[in-house]
Amino acid sequence: MTGRGRFITLEGVDGAGKSTHLSWLVNHLRAQGRTVVQTREPGGTPLGEKLRELLLHLSMQLETEALLMFAARREHLAQIILPALERGDWVVCDRFTDASFAYQGGGRGLSNAKLSQLENWVQEGFQPDLTLLFDLPIEVAAQRMAGAARPLDRFEREKADFHERVRAAYLARAAAMPARVKVIDSRQSLESIQKQLEEIFSSA
Ligand code: TYD
């Protein structure tokens, strides 16, 4: 890992509190003296942000949805993520390819084989160094989302069984890749989660 920054991704079902933990983590890493690029998917580039608007609000074929997610990702890698890592910066990204396996795969039913083809084509072997998966039972996540003041996007509006499949697909990936994906039980208090994150990053 010398000479190159670290690529950290945050994942979880909608309502798992990922955004709150992301800002805390970025501040924590900056306080440790690291240069951190905070970004998100879909999005992160001008083209990616336009694709995000379409992806979150227009209905489309499942295959189109997957292709657009990966199109945005290719641009994001080339313009933002890889140059930042080359400079030695750390990149903290709100969702990445595990979300495609969880939402387009688990949630919508696109095969892992097709998703892996896209992943190999777009990423050419590139993977996050570390992924934090904020895990929460769907009924708890739904209660938290019900309290949100903003209008829900097309993924957030999906029914509970969709979100159950998303959660199961995330957990299956964590079980298959335990060295990269750390599961964080998001039922814990904010303080205990922050303590856990401090421990994870104390030796990083
Ligand atoms: P999210 O990260 O939850 O943003 P916010 O916190 O602003 O609501 O929203 C992004 C949505 O996009 C989320 O519901 C999951 C979905 N998504 C996919 O379906 N596939 C992907 O590959 C990615 C990156 C996101």
Side-chain angles (χ1 to χ4, degrees), residues 13-28:
V13 294
D14 291 285
K18 180 176 55 62
S19 309
T20 309
H21 300 308
L22 186 129
S23 356
W24 184 87
L25 178 63
V26 168
N27 287 335
H28 178 69

Side-chain angles (χ1 to χ4, degrees), residues 14 18 42 52 69 73 95 99-100 103-104 155-156:
D14 291 285
K18 180 176 55 62
R52 179 186 179 91
M69 290 289 180
R73 183 161 298 137
R95 299 193 188 279
S100 302
Y103 283 80
Q104 282 67 54
F155 296 100
E156 292 164 333

Side-chain angles (χ1 to χ4, degrees), residues 85-101:
L85 296 174
E86 284 294 316
R87 291 194 301 270
D89 295 353
W90 283 37
V91 177
V92 177
C93 190
D94 190 342
R95 299 193 188 279
F96 193 64
T97 303
D98 294 305
S100 302
F101 280 89

Side-chain angles (χ1 to χ4, degrees), residues 31-119:
Q32 287 183 334
R34 305 193 189 282
T35 305
V36 181
V37 174
Q38 177 181 343
T39 187
R40 67 173 178 181
E41 289 211 348
T45 65
L47 175 68
E49 290 295 325
K50 290 208 161 166
L51 291 174
R52 179 186 179 91
E53 275 309 301
L54 303 175
L55 281 160
L56 296 194
H57 303 293
L58 285 189
S59 68
M60 60 186 76
Q61 293 283 304
L62 161 59
E63 290 76 7
T64 312
E65 186 177 288
L67 288 164
L68 291 182
M69 290 289 180
F70 276 95
R73 183 161 298 137
R74 177 69 186 196
E75 206 62 21
H76 196 199
L77 279 166
Q79 285 194 31
I80 307 290
I81 299 172
L82 296 176
L85 296 174
E86 284 294 316
R87 291 194 301 270
D89 295 353
W90 283 37
V91 177
V92 177
C93 190
D94 190 342
R95 299 193 188 279
F96 193 64
T97 303
D98 294 305
S100 302
F101 280 89
Y103 283 80
Q104 282 67 54
R108 301 228 195 274
L110 192 66
S111 72
N112 275 351
K114 282 199 176 132
L115 286 162
S116 296
Q117 277 181 339
L118 289 175
E119 180 185 37

Side-chain angles (χ1 to χ4, degrees), residues 17 20-21 24 187-196:
T20 309
H21 300 308
W24 184 87
R187 284 171 305 189
Q188 301 174 85
S189 68
L190 222 51
E191 293 70 33
S192 349
I193 293 178
Q194 289 169 358
K195 200 157 162 282
Q196 204 175 335

